[in-house]
């Protein structure tokens, strides 16, 4: 997003943190066009419409051209074939106009499917998957195998070469046990990132597709939260932007009001909302991931509604966005 985003259908004034703006979400839509033409000059053909959309996107393409954008992919956008196609096409378009996208993915629903097929119990503790040795074997096979290679194939067929990786490859990510490993099993954290293996891939115009599994110094494999992996990779790559695709509109100023979307906020405002309990539940690890990546040099981090078709293009190539943008 190049400039401050526009306020859409504002709610009555609220006592909110500094540098916080509200945006009411719109129904799913494609790229908007500024109404800079009079009615008599309005585009009347599909060709003219496409030209106007491209013209409006130019400043954003110029801003992000040559910049690395790390996208965490999961949730509804992974379960729906139409949304999956939307994400893949967005990534390919961004690559074709000169951006350097890096895709990080999880795959919770697919893991659950295979665990049930193999009669392995599925259990969670504090929102995290309990991962014993048998579960870890399935997690690794599903994420680094089935899900990863399917995404690579989809991107390849859409017109850009993709390279499938996981944390093991080139020692991209080194893991360590999570603090509560006694209860969670082989659930890990990121101990270290070495992005060396990624540079030749992105410099050649290819899209890295990275599964969120990694090993520690002894070779023991761990399941790591994909948001965390994306945030640490964004920091290591010096990314311009981190985008987390989620199943919610973004950060809400009122968790019970779907229309109280916070459009932009800074780190100070986020921390205040967490302290006041406005941000809670599953949103806390996401905002913590964003704050940590910003503290390590990422320019902006966005929590984006992955249920909206072409949400990546809306977030990057328009001033409306598709969620909440957090800045340093």
């Amino acid at each position: 997003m190049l400039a401050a985003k526009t306020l859409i259908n504002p709610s009555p004034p609220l006592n909110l943190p500094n540098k916080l703006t509200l945006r009411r979400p719109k129904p799913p839509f494609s790229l908007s066009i500024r109404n800079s033409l009079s009615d008599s000059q309005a585009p009347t053909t599909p060709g003219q419409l496409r030209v106007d959309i491209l013209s409006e996107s130019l400043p954003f393409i110029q801003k992000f051209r040559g910049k690395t954008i790390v996208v965490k992919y999961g949730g509804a956008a992974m379960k729906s074939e139409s949304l999956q196609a939307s994400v893949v096409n967005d990534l390919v378009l961004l690559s074709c106009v000169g951006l350097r996208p890096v895709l990080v993915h999880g795959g919770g629903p697919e893991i659950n499917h295979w665990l049930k097929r193999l009669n392995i119990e599925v259990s969670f503790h504090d929102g995290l998957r309990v991962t014993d040795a048998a579960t870890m074997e399935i997690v690794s096979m599903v994420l680094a195998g089935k899900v990863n290679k399917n995404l690579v194939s989809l991107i390849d067929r859409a017109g850009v070469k993709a390279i499938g990786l996981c944390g093991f490859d080139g020692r991209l990510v080194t893991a360590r046990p999570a603090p509560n490993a006694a209860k969670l099993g082989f659930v890990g954290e990121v101990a270290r990132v070495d992005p060396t293996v990624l540079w030749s891939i992105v410099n050649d115009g290819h899209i890295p597709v990275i599964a969120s599994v990694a090993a520690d110094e002894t070779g023991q494999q761990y399941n790591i939260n994909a948001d965390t992996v994306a945030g640490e990779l964004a920091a290591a790559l010096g990314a311009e932007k981190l985008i987390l695709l989620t199943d919610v509109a973004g950060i809400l100023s009122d968790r019970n009001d779907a229309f109280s979307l916070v459009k932009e906020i800074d780190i100070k405002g986020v921390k205040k909302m967490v302290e006041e309990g406005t941000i809670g539940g599953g949103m806390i690890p996401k905002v913590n991931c964003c704050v940590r990546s910003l503290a390590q040099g990422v320019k902006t981090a966005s929590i984006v509604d992955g249920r909206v078709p072409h949400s990546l293009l809306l977030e990057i190539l328009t001033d409306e966005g598709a969620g909440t943008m957090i800045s340093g």
Side-chain angles (χ1 to χ4, degrees):
M1 288 172 286
L2 183 61
K5 301 177 184 174
T6 308
L7 188 65
I8 301 176
N9 296 333
S11 303
L14 298 172
N15 183 20
L16 296 169
N18 291 335
K19 296 188 179 180
L20 179 151
T21 312
L22 296 180
R23 174 171 67 217
R24 289 187 180 275
K26 292 183 177 181
F29 52 96
S30 59
L31 292 176
S32 63
I33 306 171
R34 294 187 187 92
N35 189 18
S36 59
L37 302 174
S38 67
D39 290 342
S40 62
Q41 296 173 306
T44 56
T45 67
Q48 184 63 52
L49 182 64
R50 287 193 292 271
V51 168
D52 286 330
I53 292 173
L54 287 171
S55 178
E56 180 180 304
S57 301
L58 179 60
F60 301 96
I61 293 172
Q62 290 173 322
K63 174 181 172 62
F64 290 108
R65 184 174 177 81
K67 303 294 178 60
T68 300
I69 310 293
V70 177
V71 178
K72 181 267 179 174
Y73 172 58
M78 182 171 275
K79 292 179 279 187
S80 162
E81 288 188 8
S82 61
L83 289 175
Q84 186 176 69
S86 170
V87 170
V88 167
N89 288 333
D90 287 0
L91 289 168
V92 169
L93 189 152
L94 293 172
S95 178
C96 288
V97 298
L99 281 71
R100 294 149 56 105
V102 175
L103 185 65
V104 179
H105 68 86
E110 191 72 19
I111 293 170
N112 291 342
H113 169 75
W114 282 97
L115 288 173
K116 290 176 181 177
R117 282 191 64 173
L118 296 170
N119 296 317
I120 298 174
E121 182 181 359
V122 177
S123 61
F124 291 84
H125 176 76
D126 290 338
L128 297 174
R129 183 187 301 279
V130 176
T131 307
D132 59 14
T135 300
M136 186 63 234
E137 186 175 9
I138 302 304
V139 168
S140 183
M141 288 192 296
V142 170
L143 293 188
K146 188 175 187 299
V147 174
N148 186 268
K149 300 317 173 193
N150 181 58
L151 288 170
V152 168
S153 176
L154 290 172
I155 294 170
D156 284 344
R157 290 194 331 233
V160 172
K161 291 181 180 179
I163 309 294
L165 302 165
C166 68
F168 317 143
D169 297 306
R171 296 183 181 176
L172 176 59
V173 177
T174 301
R176 64 173 174 241
N180 48 353
K183 294 181 178 179
L184 292 174
F186 298 113
V187 173
E189 296 180 338
V190 176
R192 185 172 64 255
V193 174
D194 180 356
T196 304
V197 71
L198 296 181
W199 290 122
S200 61
I201 297 173
V202 296
N203 289 339
D204 287 341
H206 306 327
I207 298 177
V209 180
I210 303 162
S212 58
V213 291
D216 64 14
E217 298 285 0
T218 70
Q220 173 59 55
Q221 298 182 15
Y222 288 89
N223 182 21
I224 306 179
N225 179 274
D227 292 335
T228 302
V229 173
E232 295 301 316
L233 280 171
L237 290 166
E240 181 76 12
K241 192 171 188 63
L242 167 67
I243 298 177
L244 306 181
L245 291 177
T246 69
D247 287 346
V248 295
I251 296 175
L252 303 178
S253 63
D254 180 352
R255 281 188 278 171
N256 298 316
D257 180 5
F259 294 103
S260 64
L261 178 64
V262 176
K263 176 184 177 181
E264 293 184 27
I265 190 169
D266 61 9
I267 291 177
K268 184 177 178 181
V270 165
K271 290 182 177 178
K272 184 176 180 181
M273 292 182 75
V274 172
E275 291 170 359
E276 294 174 346
T278 307
I279 295 175
M283 186 58 70
I284 290 179
K286 293 185 184 300
V287 298
N288 286 342
C289 165
C290 292
V291 168
R292 180 172 169 81
S293 68
L294 292 168
Q296 296 180 85
V298 176
K299 298 295 178 60
T300 63
S302 295
I303 299 173
V304 169
D305 192 346
R307 301 167 301 177
V308 176
H310 299 294
S311 55
L312 286 179
L313 297 187
L314 286 167
E315 182 63 21
I316 296 171
L317 299 184
T318 77
D319 56 8
E320 293 178 359
T324 300
M325 184 176 76
I326 306 171
S327 61

